[in-house]
């Protein structure tokens, strides 16, 4: 930990000390916890404060265990009588939490009836699509008539009987998933009227959280610490130091920071996700574009997708052969970013009763059957051979596009795919890499791409890609002006390079107002290359099922196959009737449109490819069924305005007086 991070922790330490001292009594001796070494007085003082905070927290933990000595025994002997008592206690705790939540709603409704009754009645039902939200927010952060599953439906299936009531966003549950932009103090209300998420709403009531795993590239520990109860155990995945070595360390009482391995210390741990475990038993999965710093949640626009996942009524066995569904990919991500040793440390020391005992519990204990989006990770490193290559980077995107039934096909019947790639950082582009990415985005096999002669691949024209990045004019016209452009990156030597694709650049303007966007998004839309082209066997449609009789009264959920799309020589035996042919797909997550994020293929043979990935990244992909879906999902104004060459120039920090030292 560097000195800037240490100073940033002081405020959090003070808060932790106040909390511990207020609730602990004198006497007793807590076990020691070794703090990192230091060479100067300021660091030594920091270590003394941290040590005191750790001792106070551990002493409080000891008191709690002394008051309930059966708690640890229950976890060690799940088949014993004490386990039954633990189960009863768990159910009682869930009931109590539900009672408290309903009491909050009751208090809110009473207050709302007094002051905003008219406004509340005029609001609409929230959209039930798993990835869209069109509900307009109010100043009171309430969506009227939100359907709230009962506690029995959370544990034993989804009951069609729901209670409709005014629910503050912080107390809402999103069983079908929800994608929203983040709230921004400079664009409220939003010009497009879209509902938003605040960080407090993403996390939910802090006292309801039993455990969390959170990940960010840039983190203000003292700031994010205030969003959690000091007693809640948290694993924070962060950026390694320049050595690139994997490591874990205690950064606060109940908080462990873990960092993954980076080859040669090069690249970024750029993933932004959260796994939030609640005392009621359910899990919330969050994929975000925002760092865990106040600026990202206050002054610029980001996006958040989240979905609540119920616990299984009975755990299922771990299946090593299952590697391609959402939870199995998430488990692979957790292993890759070094969560395993941090989890083992917590379980061994202060928190033996965490809701997950191993990473594989994620798939075993929670029911992800309603999660319809596809998870797209990039794992830093060198990946060799098709089984490894297809699990990460843009080849993983290719596999997801195929699984969604959105492969473009080849030849005369192929559909053209137009990509609009919004991001906050510009890469070094070549025609070969852009065509390589576009090939995967079409759902076409990278094996076919690598079969093309390398000389031909390097001379291909630019594919139909729009690079969406703010122009200098847009930054100057934004509410914060040039000083607000500190999270947008393009270099002069990139823009001035002879073969740089200036003609692909389009201006990035938020649909929400005059704010800059840190959102990473790809909007992919399909169209026929000829009005007379007929569909081929390789042009499969999105696979979906209609509700069965037992599902009447529930929201329709698209069921997407995880199997490989049929090849051109294999006709499908039975394709379920589709609701509507998708017109494209969208990606949201941490990936900027760069080779470092998505990876680069290198191989002299298509039989044994190599994919080199610099960063750790994570995002989701889902289908777009109609034009209104595209409009609802897109964070930028469409169609994006194309740069006028000779007049427009991208925002470049180094050229701005606001950033010159």
């Amino acid at each position: 930990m560097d000195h800037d991070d240490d100073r940033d922790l002081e405020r959090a330490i003070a808060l932790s000390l106040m909390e511990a001292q207020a609730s602990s009594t004198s006497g007793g001796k807590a076990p020691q916890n070794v703090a990192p070494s230091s060479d100067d007085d300021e660091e030594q003082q920091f270590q003394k404060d941290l040590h005191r905070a750790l001792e106070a927290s551990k002493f409080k933990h000891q008191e709690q265990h002394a008051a309930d000595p059966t708690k640890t025994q229950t976890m060690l002997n799940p088949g014993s009588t004490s386990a039954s008592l633990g189960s009863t206690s768990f159910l009682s705790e869930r009931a109590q939490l539900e009672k408290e939540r309903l009491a909050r709603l009751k208090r809110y409704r009473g207050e709302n009836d007094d002051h905003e009754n008219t406004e509340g009645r005029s609001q609409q039902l929230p959209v039930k699509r798993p990835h869209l939200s069109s509900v307009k927010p109010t100043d009171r952060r309430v969506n009227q008539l939100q359907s709230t599953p009962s506690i029995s439906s959370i544990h034993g299936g989804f009951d069609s009987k729901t209670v409709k009531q005014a629910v503050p966003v912080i107390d809402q549950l999103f069983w079908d998933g929800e994608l929203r932009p983040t709230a921004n103090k400079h664009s409220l209300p939003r010009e497009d009227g879209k509902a938003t998420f605040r960080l407090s709403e993403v996390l939910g009531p802090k006292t309801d959280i039993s455990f969390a795993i959170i990940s960010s590239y840039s983190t203000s520990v003292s700031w994010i610490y205030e969003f959690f109860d000091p007693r809640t155990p948290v694993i924070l995945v962060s950026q390694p130091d320049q050595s690139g070595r994997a490591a874990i360390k205690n950064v606060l009482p109940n908080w462990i920071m873990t960092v993954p391995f980076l080859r040669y210390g090069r690249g970024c741990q750029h993933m932004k996700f959260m796994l939030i475990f609640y005392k009621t038993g359910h899990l919330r999965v969050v994929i975000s574009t925002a760092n865990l710093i106040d600026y990202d949640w206050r002054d610029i626009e980001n996006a958040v997708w989240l979905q609540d996942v119920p616990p299984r009524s009975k755990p299922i066995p771990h299946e090593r052969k299952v590697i391609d569904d959402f939870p199995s990919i998430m488990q692979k991500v957790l292993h890759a970013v070094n969560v395993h040793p941090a989890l083992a440390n917590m379980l061994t020391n202060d928190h033996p009763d965490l809701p997950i005992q191993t990473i594989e519990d994620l798939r075993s204990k929670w029911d992800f059957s309603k999660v319809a989006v596809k998870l797209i990770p990039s794992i830093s490193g060198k990946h060799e051979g098709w089984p490894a290559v297809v699990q990460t980077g843009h080849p993983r995107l290719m596999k997801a596009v195929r699984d969604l039934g959105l492969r473009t096909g080849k030849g005369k019947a192929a559909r053209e795919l137009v990509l609009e790639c919004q991001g906050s950082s510009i890469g070094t582009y070549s025609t070969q890499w852009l065509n390589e990415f576009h090939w995967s985005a079409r759902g076409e096999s990278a094996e076919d791409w690598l079969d093309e002669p390398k000389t031909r691949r390097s001379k291909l024209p630019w594919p139909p890609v729009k690079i969406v990045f703010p122009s200098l004019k847009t930054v100057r016209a934004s509410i914060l002006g040039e000083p607000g452009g500190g999270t947008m990156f393009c270099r002069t030597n990139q823009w001035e390079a002879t073969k740089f694709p200036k003609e692909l650049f389009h201006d990035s303007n938020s649909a929400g107002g005059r704010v800059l966007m840190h959102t990473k998004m790809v909007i992919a839309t399909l169209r026929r290359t000829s009005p007379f082209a007929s569909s081929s066997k390789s042009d499969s449609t999105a696979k979906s099922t209609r509700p069965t009789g037992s599902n009447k009264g529930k929201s329709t959920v698209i069921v997407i196959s995880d199997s490989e799309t049929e090849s051109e020589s294999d006709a499908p035996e039975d394709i379920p009737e589709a609701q509507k042919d998708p017109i494209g797909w969208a990606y949201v997550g941490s990936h900027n449109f760069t080779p470092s994020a998505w990876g680069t293929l290198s191989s002299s043979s298509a039989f044994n490819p190599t994919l080199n990935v610099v960063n750790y990244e994570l995002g989701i992909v889902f289908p777009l069924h109609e034009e209104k879906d595209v409009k609802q999902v897109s964070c930028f104004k469409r169609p994006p305005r194309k740069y006028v060459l000779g007049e427009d120039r991208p925002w470049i920090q180094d050229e701005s007086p606001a950033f010159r030292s």
Side-chain angles (χ1 to χ4, degrees), residues 202 273-276 278 283-287 304-309 326 330 362 368 371 375:
V202 170
F273 69 84
M274 303 180 193
L275 297 176
I276 309 168
Y278 295 93
L283 163 69
R284 174 168 289 183
V285 182
V286 181
I287 307 294
V304 171
W305 171 87
L306 59 80
Q307 184 158 352
D308 291 298
V309 180
F326 190 102
M330 192 73 231
L362 193 68
F368 285 80
V371 178
L375 195 59

Side-chain angles (χ1 to χ4, degrees), residues 263-468:
R263 283 191 304 169
Y264 316 117
R266 178 171 174 256
C268 299
Q269 190 304 105
H270 204 241
M271 293 180 176
K272 301 162 179 70
F273 69 84
M274 303 180 193
L275 297 176
I276 309 168
F277 300 84
Y278 295 93
K279 295 173 183 177
T280 53
H282 79 279
L283 163 69
R284 174 168 289 183
V285 182
V286 181
I287 307 294
S288 171
T289 71
N291 288 296
L292 297 176
I293 55 176
D294 55 354
Y295 182 82
D296 275 27
W297 294 85
R298 183 191 65 223
D299 294 314
I300 55 176
E301 183 177 320
N302 278 283
V304 171
W305 171 87
L306 59 80
Q307 184 158 352
D308 291 298
V309 180
R312 297 184 186 274
S313 57
K314 182 180 180 181
I316 62 172
H318 172 54
E319 300 178 67
R320 291 183 178 276
K321 293 182 179 180
V322 179
I323 60 172
D324 204 39
D325 62 6
F326 190 102
S328 64
I329 295 173
M330 192 73 231
Q331 289 173 174
K332 182 179 179 181
V333 166
L334 295 178
H335 280 292
V337 295
N338 207 40
V339 166
H340 173 71
L343 179 62
N345 182 287
M346 278 194 163
L347 291 167
T348 302
N349 293 310
D350 298 330
H351 301 283
D353 54 350
L354 293 179
I356 58 171
Q357 300 291 296
T358 69
I359 287 176
E360 284 65 36
D361 282 351
L362 193 68
R363 186 175 185 274
S364 175
K365 293 184 176 180
W366 282 270
D367 182 2
F368 285 80
S369 60
K370 291 196 72 174
V371 178
V373 301
K374 298 292 183 180
L375 195 59
I376 313 295
S378 283
I379 306 300
S380 177
K382 184 178 182 181
H383 306 271
E384 298 181 89
W386 284 117
V389 165
V390 80
Q391 291 298 318
T392 187
H394 68 74
R396 172 60 199 167
L397 174 65
M398 176 274 295
K399 178 65 165 57
V401 171
R402 283 191 169 202
D403 290 347
L404 292 173
L406 292 171
R407 184 178 179 181
T408 62
K410 295 180 289 186
K412 294 181 180 180
R415 294 172 289 180
E416 183 181 29
L417 183 74
V418 178
L419 300 179
E420 298 170 3
C421 304
Q422 149 74 33
S424 60
S425 185
I426 296 301
T428 300
Y429 302 123
S430 65
T431 58
Q432 180 169 330
W433 186 81
L434 259 70
N435 278 282
E436 177 182 310
F437 180 87
H438 190 263
W439 194 274
S440 286
R442 289 170 50 201
E444 297 304 318
S445 172
E447 185 174 2
D448 296 336
W449 166 256
L450 290 173
D451 275 338
E452 296 286 342
K454 188 173 182 179
T455 53
R456 183 177 180 273
R457 282 186 271 141
S458 64
K459 295 178 181 179
L460 288 172
W462 301 114
V465 172
K466 300 177 182 180
I467 301 172
V468 184

Side-chain angles (χ1 to χ4, degrees), residues 10 70 148 150 212-213 221-222 284 352 396-397 472 515 551 571 600 644 647 660:
E10 290 179 1
T70 64
T148 306
S150 66
I213 302 172
V221 180
S222 63
R284 174 168 289 183
R396 172 60 199 167
L397 174 65
L472 175 60
V515 295
N551 285 332
T600 303
V644 177
E647 294 183 15
R660 288 176 188 159

